Amino acid sequence: MELRFGLTIVVSASLLFGGTSAVRQLKAQSALKDAAQTNPQPDAEHNRGESPTHQHQHDGSMPGMNMEDDAGNHAQAGAMQSMTHSHHIDSAHMRMTPVRSATAEDRSRANEIAATLAQAIERYRDYRVALADGFRIFAPNLPQAQYHFTNYWNGYLEGFTFDPARPTSLLYRKTKDGYELIGAMYTAPRSASLDELDERIPLGVARWHQHTNLCMPKRGQAPPADWTRFGLTGSISTEEECQEAGGRFYPVIFGWMVHVYPFESSLAKAWAQ
């Protein structure tokens, strides 16, 4: 029974995130949880001397993307650039939910969600606590304005339910002493409707986003590839263009995402995308 249940979870996670990477991460996280019961959680600084293969197990990759080849590294960089605070805009590689006028009910509900989130993640101001609780740093070796510490189990659960106290990722800013907690990210299945997204976070206050129209070079051809054309910041944004360039096209690569900065002083700043 336990084996069947575990297989169901792994397969469901693969379907939710759209790739085998989530399966690997879910398995790795399960193993790390077991190991944490007998071994202290190491700091990220202790991972620098490990082999790339071993690092991949706990460095993390964005759900739905295979980061094992050079093309994946470029995709990570593009994803990180487009996920920067206040960098979310409708474009060839990003789809935003439509702008809606906020009602008084929208503002009230958004304030309640932000307050619940702030209380829930307060304990993670110490990033080591987040690591011990199963959050994994996404692309820690790439310089970023903010770093996503992702909990893949939370991401799996977000495919079925929404809990404002259970974000998929925590958002940190790098400091000389470690990381400073600044916010969090919620996720939803890529198939979610606007009404379903609005039930989670009011669309009159926040705009969810999706990463779209990704063209990647063929496997093994990443080093000589022209990255002004490929990736999430490349010029290619249609399947036809991607085929002509001999690439691999992905209409949507992740589920829906929305950032929240609950420690900000105003509603507008808390939900700024």
Side-chain angles (χ1 to χ4, degrees):
M1 179 64 72
E2 292 180 357
L3 177 60
R4 291 176 61 187
F5 179 69
L7 288 174
T8 300
I9 289 178
V10 169
V11 172
S12 298
S14 178
L15 292 174
L16 171 62
F17 293 125
T20 58
S21 178
V23 177
R24 289 193 299 273
Q25 293 298 333
L26 204 55
K27 287 180 178 178
Q29 183 165 319
S30 176
L32 285 163
K33 283 183 178 179
D34 292 340
Q37 296 177 1
T38 55
N39 297 291
Q41 173 66 40
D43 288 350
E45 297 293 325
H46 295 169
N47 299 333
R48 289 181 177 176
E50 299 172 356
S51 68
T53 300
H54 185 63
Q55 278 192 357
H56 177 74
Q57 294 177 0
H58 50 78
D59 279 355
S61 60
M62 187 60 68
M65 173 87 51
N66 184 342
M67 296 301 175
E68 292 179 344
D69 58 13
D70 290 336
N73 293 331
H74 283 276
Q76 285 189 125
M80 289 302 94
Q81 180 176 337
S82 60
M83 286 185 193
T84 302
H85 189 194
S86 300
H87 196 77
H88 297 153
I89 57 173
D90 270 312
S91 66
H93 295 296
M94 180 170 288
R95 176 190 176 193
M96 304 286 294
T97 53
V99 176
R100 291 187 180 182
S101 298
T103 66
E105 181 182 354
D106 287 341
R107 287 187 286 269
S108 176
R109 187 157 60 94
N111 276 326
E112 290 179 6
I113 292 170
T116 298
L117 176 64
Q119 183 176 4
I121 66 175
E122 177 67 28
R123 65 193 302 266
Y124 296 128
R125 286 189 183 274
D126 183 343
Y127 74 95
R128 290 173 287 263
V129 176
L131 292 174
D133 278 0
F135 288 89
R136 294 289 169 260
I137 310 174
F138 174 59
N141 297 322
L142 286 176
Q144 304 168 46
Q146 60 186 22
Y147 290 77
H148 291 62
F149 283 49
T150 297
N151 186 304
Y152 291 87
W153 178 248
N154 287 1
Y156 166 75
L157 294 176
E158 288 297 297
F160 307 95
T161 61
F162 174 70
D163 181 350
R166 188 192 62 214
T168 295
S169 300
L170 301 171
L171 305 177
Y172 288 86
R173 182 184 295 117
K174 192 74 173 289
T175 68
K176 64 178 182 179
D177 300 318
Y179 296 89
E180 175 192 1
L181 180 67
I182 59 174
M185 183 179 79
Y186 295 120
T187 57
R190 68 180 65 183
S191 59
S193 67
L194 293 180
D195 287 341
E196 289 170 334
L197 294 175
D198 184 66
E199 287 178 6
R200 296 186 178 212
I201 306 293
L203 298 184
V205 174
R207 299 180 69 188
W208 293 73
H209 67 274
Q210 270 186 338
H211 296 274
T212 60
N213 301 324
L214 171 68
C215 182
M216 301 296 288
K218 289 182 178 180
R219 296 190 185 281
Q221 295 184 2
D226 180 359
W227 288 100
T228 64
R229 303 181 65 204
F230 293 102
L232 284 172
T233 57
S235 61
I236 297 176
S237 60
T238 67
E239 185 172 9
E240 181 180 6
E241 289 176 309
C242 190
Q243 289 177 346
E244 291 177 355
R248 298 169 286 158
F249 187 73
Y250 303 89
V252 179
I253 56 171
F254 309 134
W256 287 101
M257 306 174 180
V258 65
H259 289 184
V260 195
Y261 303 89
F263 306 120
E264 290 288 355
S265 58
S266 69
L267 183 68
K269 291 181 178 179
W271 294 98
Q273 299 301 307

